Amino acid sequence: MGEWWNYVPTSGWQRFAIDAAWQSTLVCVLALSLVRLVRLRPTTRAAVLLAATILCVVAPVSSYAARSSGWGMFAPAIEATERGNEDLGIVLKAPAGTPQVVLHNAAIGRPAEIPQPKIEWPATGWRVLAVLWPLASLGLAWRLLRSARALQRACWQASPCEDEEIRAALHQASRTLGVDAPELLVSSAVDSPALVLWGRPRLLLPALKEPRNDWLAIFYHELAHLARRDGRSRLAVEAVAIMLPWQSLLWFVRRDFRAACEEACDDWAIAAGADPVEFASLLLDFVPQARPSLALGMAESVSAARARIMRLLAMQGTPRPRLGKFLGLAGWVVAGALAVVLALLQSGRLPWQGADEPPWGNTPVSLAAAEARSPSERQSLGPYRVEAPDVLLIDAVKIVPKPPYKIEPLDTLEIFVINTVPDQNIAGPYPVEADGTIMLGPAYGGVKVSGLSISEARDTIKEHLEQIIQAPEVSVSLAESAGQQQIEGEHLIGPDGTVNLGTYGSVFVAGMTLVEVRKTIEAHLLTYLDNPKVSVDVFKYNSKFFYIVWEHDGTDHIQRVPYSGNETVLDAIAQISKDMRLTPNTRIWIARPASADGQKAAYVLPVDWRELYRGESNRTNFWLEPGDRVFVLEN
């Protein structure tokens, strides 16, 4: 039995078809057994059969939804044989015939086996069913459309009834039953009264050769359909029959439901004051509708009419149809409870249940959590080490040439002088002109400073100013060197592991942390500058990646994501969540390659997505490492 179950589809429309087959069969058998073995009122019988019909569709749909959400009561079927290494201290189980891959326990150094999803192509029978099922449904839908067109045509061709006695009987029946009187029409397209409940209610009467004066009982019956809302009920039954055309038991339920509706309306007519024997004789005067084109009209076949007549002739006492209507509500309650039970009879677990295994029967999560870093116990990731082709953002905070510095044209000097001429202050930056002079203002003129050191320039400026003002105090400093290259912006680490600093040469930084890179660059610049200061940051992470591999709509996809040192499983899933449908049953695992130095072997980390999805636990939201492969399987 277990081997046979392995061939049952676990997802897709095939699994829905299997659920619909066995669940609708169960529901139909229970409903037919109940109405045949237990003596129920027609109103109750109609309610039970209607609930069973709708349940034939609701049950497999709710089962599919529960299975997709992982709200099943049972865990996946697992073979009783044990696999794995006894030294692990755990039992590893897998479904029979499931392909295996190796999960390496880095702490023990021994492999253990975990199951992988089994993928099978649909058999020929499924392909045939995929073609015949829609064709049968289309045929039945076309039949229903023909019925609607026939009723519409009959209404168009009908003429209003002008007989005042018949119209008075209709209004009397409508007042007795508490419903609005429908439009009364006479049509040659019908052989017995037919009530059309779609749109504006209309009652079609056959064109009789001889007038009648006993329409009241007939109107009681027809208006009972209107009071019971049988039009919607019949359309719901027809729709279910169209959706499940291969379910033969459903057609027996449909036949019994229509018969129960007619008998219930007979009870309403008798309860309203009609005599059972006289009403049975009235039915003999009409020819029942035998054409299926009027399936949506409130008219019945010959066999149904014969059974109604025999029941009316055997009736004793006055029926109580409204009591049966309330008893029918119990059938809806039972049907709803049965739908919930069938929905929960799936593989999975209830929302309040916990488990130590991922939903796809993997190695216990507690073992995997001990092998990798989890955000539930946050650990330091260590400093990031740059590699080619990372892009560094390097900015020089202080660039001062090494002394003695000779002033050159286009340099900028910071000059401050005390005891200057009123309104002719000397304070601020002053550029060195192309001819090597610096202009101090209209009252002071220019001074040639190119080729001088800073101290020599200060003395020269002071001597020049002593000819104009008394006892000047002069301060000179280099504000900006025009001939000194600035260091700023993005710098790419080349394939050889170096960054190019222009006229200052190249510096090897591969494999270093940011602190080490900053110290290395500053040490290199000491050859050219006086106590240089730089700031270093990573502008773009290009050297380290992890990979996401996922399956969507039968196609495999792979995405390379830059690694910054702070990503978890949830960060990886966020990269692809817009491209696939995630459910609590989504299978996720991490394949971690062996380290380059050979100290750590490759192993697999199972992720319990159901826990992460519902917020039950964060224990498998592992930190990712460079080179990790995150595998995501939709179903």
Side-chain angles (χ1 to χ4, degrees):
M1 184 67 178
E3 294 181 358
W4 176 85
W5 186 254
N6 288 332
Y7 294 97
V8 175
T10 59
S11 62
W13 71 270
Q14 296 94 336
R15 180 57 188 270
F16 176 82
I18 291 177
D19 286 344
W22 75 266
Q23 291 178 0
S24 62
T25 300
L26 174 63
V27 171
C28 290
V29 169
L30 292 177
L32 292 174
S33 300
L34 179 63
V35 298
R36 282 170 169 74
L37 299 179
V38 181
R39 186 175 181 180
L40 300 175
R41 300 173 186 268
T43 305
T44 305
R45 193 164 72 249
V48 170
L49 293 173
L50 176 61
T53 303
I54 297 177
L55 186 59
C56 289
V57 173
V58 172
V61 171
S62 59
S63 297
Y64 180 84
R67 184 168 53 254
S68 300
S69 303
W71 281 22
M73 294 189 296
F74 301 104
I78 295 177
E79 189 183 0
T81 57
E82 299 180 357
R83 297 188 178 96
N85 196 309
E86 296 179 356
D87 296 336
L88 293 175
I90 59 173
V91 176
L92 302 178
K93 302 178 180 180
T98 303
Q100 306 294 313
V101 299
V102 173
L103 170 65
H104 190 90
N105 187 321
I108 302 176
R110 297 188 178 182
E113 295 178 349
I114 61 172
Q116 291 296 306
K118 178 177 65 176
I119 301 176
E120 294 182 352
W121 292 99
T124 304
W126 289 116
R127 298 191 182 97
V128 174
L129 180 61
V131 175
L132 295 183
W133 188 348
L135 289 178
S137 297
L138 287 175
L140 293 176
W142 174 251
R143 175 180 177 273
L144 190 65
L145 181 61
R146 286 183 56 208
S147 173
R149 291 173 61 90
L151 283 175
Q152 187 179 26
R153 190 181 304 109
C155 292
W156 287 346
Q157 297 174 354
S159 59
C161 179
E162 303 295 342
D163 193 318
E164 294 297 333
E165 294 184 0
I166 297 178
R167 296 170 64 88
L170 177 64
H171 287 287
Q172 180 181 348
S174 64
R175 289 193 299 269
T176 303
L177 297 183
V179 297
D180 295 333
E183 182 181 0
L184 194 60
L185 302 174
V186 178
S187 173
S188 58
V190 296
D191 300 321
S192 63
L195 183 64
V196 181
L197 297 178
W198 307 112
R200 182 180 70 258
R202 287 153 292 180
L203 180 57
L204 300 179
L205 300 181
L208 300 178
K209 297 180 180 179
E210 298 180 359
R212 303 180 61 94
N213 56 4
D214 48 4
W215 287 99
L216 187 59
I218 296 176
F219 288 155
Y220 281 146
H221 174 90
E222 297 300 331
L223 294 185
H225 284 300
L226 187 61
R228 287 171 36 84
R229 297 180 177 86
D230 284 341
R232 300 177 183 177
S233 303
R234 288 200 178 188
L235 182 61
V237 173
E238 295 294 334
V240 173
I242 290 174
M243 287 185 282
L244 303 177
W246 40 263
Q247 180 53 268
S248 58
L249 294 177
L250 191 59
W251 295 94
F252 291 99
V253 174
R254 172 180 175 272
R255 181 196 62 187
D256 289 356
F257 168 74
R258 296 172 70 95
C261 290
E262 294 298 327
E263 293 178 3
C265 292
D266 291 342
D267 289 350
W268 279 63
I270 302 304
D275 182 79
V277 177
E278 294 181 359
F279 185 54
S281 64
L282 291 177
L283 296 180
L284 292 174
D285 295 339
F286 293 103
V287 179
Q289 293 294 145
R291 289 175 290 176
S293 59
L294 296 181
L296 283 180
M298 299 296 114
E300 282 304 302
S301 62
V302 176
S303 60
R306 185 184 301 111
R308 289 172 53 198
I309 293 173
M310 298 301 297
R311 178 176 176 273
L312 289 172
L313 294 177
M315 182 176 295
Q316 297 180 357
T318 302
R320 302 172 62 185
R322 297 184 183 274
L323 178 61
K325 180 179 180 180
F326 291 108
L327 294 177
L329 295 177
W332 285 98
V333 174
V334 174
L338 184 58
V340 173
V341 172
L342 292 176
L344 295 179
L345 293 177
Q346 310 298 323
S347 298
R349 71 167 183 266
L350 296 176
W352 56 84
Q353 292 177 327
D356 191 43
E357 294 187 358
W360 42 286
N362 207 339
T363 302
V365 175
S366 56
L367 177 63
E371 296 297 327
R373 296 175 296 179
S374 173
S376 59
E377 297 179 0
R378 189 176 181 89
Q379 303 177 22
S380 174
L381 295 177
Y384 181 80
R385 296 188 177 273
V386 300
E387 298 285 349
D390 284 340
V391 178
L392 301 181
L393 186 63
I394 305 176
D395 288 315
V397 180
K398 178 183 178 182
I399 295 182
V400 178
K402 299 189 72 171
Y405 179 75
K406 300 298 183 179
I407 300 174
E408 297 179 0
L410 304 182
D411 283 349
T412 301
L413 301 180
E414 195 79 27
I415 304 175
F416 292 93
V417 179
I418 301 177
N419 298 328
T420 59
V421 175
D423 298 330
Q424 294 287 331
N425 295 330
I426 300 176
Y430 290 84
V432 179
E433 302 295 335
D435 59 355
T437 62
I438 184 168
M439 299 302 297
L440 299 178
Y444 310 111
V447 181
K448 187 174 181 62
V449 294
S450 62
L452 303 178
S453 64
I454 299 298
S455 59
E456 293 172 345
R458 181 178 65 249
D459 295 339
T460 302
I461 294 174
K462 184 177 181 180
E463 293 176 0
H464 177 78
L465 292 176
E466 286 177 345
Q467 300 175 8
I468 303 172
I469 60 179
Q470 294 181 355
E473 298 292 336
V474 181
S475 172
V476 179
S477 62
L478 179 64
E480 183 177 344
S481 175
Q484 200 70 40
Q485 178 185 341
Q486 298 298 311
I487 302 175
E488 60 181 0
E490 299 87 10
H491 291 72
L492 175 68
I493 301 179
D496 58 351
T498 64
V499 290
N500 190 343
L501 301 179
T503 59
Y504 302 113
S506 299
V507 183
F508 183 84
V509 296
M512 299 181 184
T513 64
L514 293 180
V515 175
E516 294 171 345
V517 171
R518 178 177 58 80
K519 292 181 178 180
T520 301
I521 293 177
E522 289 177 350
H524 177 78
L525 293 177
L526 282 173
T527 307
Y528 308 93
L529 305 173
D530 182 22
N531 193 22
K533 299 295 181 183
V534 298
S535 66
V536 181
D537 198 1
V538 179
F539 178 76
K540 186 176 294 185
Y541 297 91
N542 293 334
S543 61
K544 295 176 177 60
F545 300 89
F546 63 89
Y547 303 87
I548 307 174
V549 184
W550 77 95
E551 180 268 339
H552 178 64
D553 292 337
T555 305
D556 292 333
H557 305 266
I558 184 169
Q559 180 175 340
R560 189 175 71 165
V561 182
Y563 178 81
S564 63
N566 199 36
E567 287 88 358
T568 64
V569 173
L570 287 178
D571 295 319
I573 301 304
Q575 299 285 335
I576 60 172
S577 59
K578 63 180 181 299
D579 298 322
M580 66 179 302
R581 185 175 62 90
L582 295 169
T583 68
N585 283 341
T586 299
R587 299 168 179 165
I588 303 175
W589 65 94
I590 302 172
R592 181 157 295 169
S595 59
D597 55 10
Q599 295 183 358
K600 294 182 63 177
Y603 59 97
V604 171
L605 295 172
V607 176
D608 193 339
W609 174 243
R610 186 176 297 154
E611 283 188 344
L612 297 181
Y613 179 84
R614 296 176 180 169
E616 299 173 1
S617 174
N618 206 36
R619 58 180 174 169
T620 59
N621 189 23
F622 302 117
W623 292 110
L624 299 178
E625 295 184 1
D628 280 355
R629 279 77 164 169
V630 182
F631 290 86
V632 183
L633 190 63
E634 264 189 2
N635 192 350

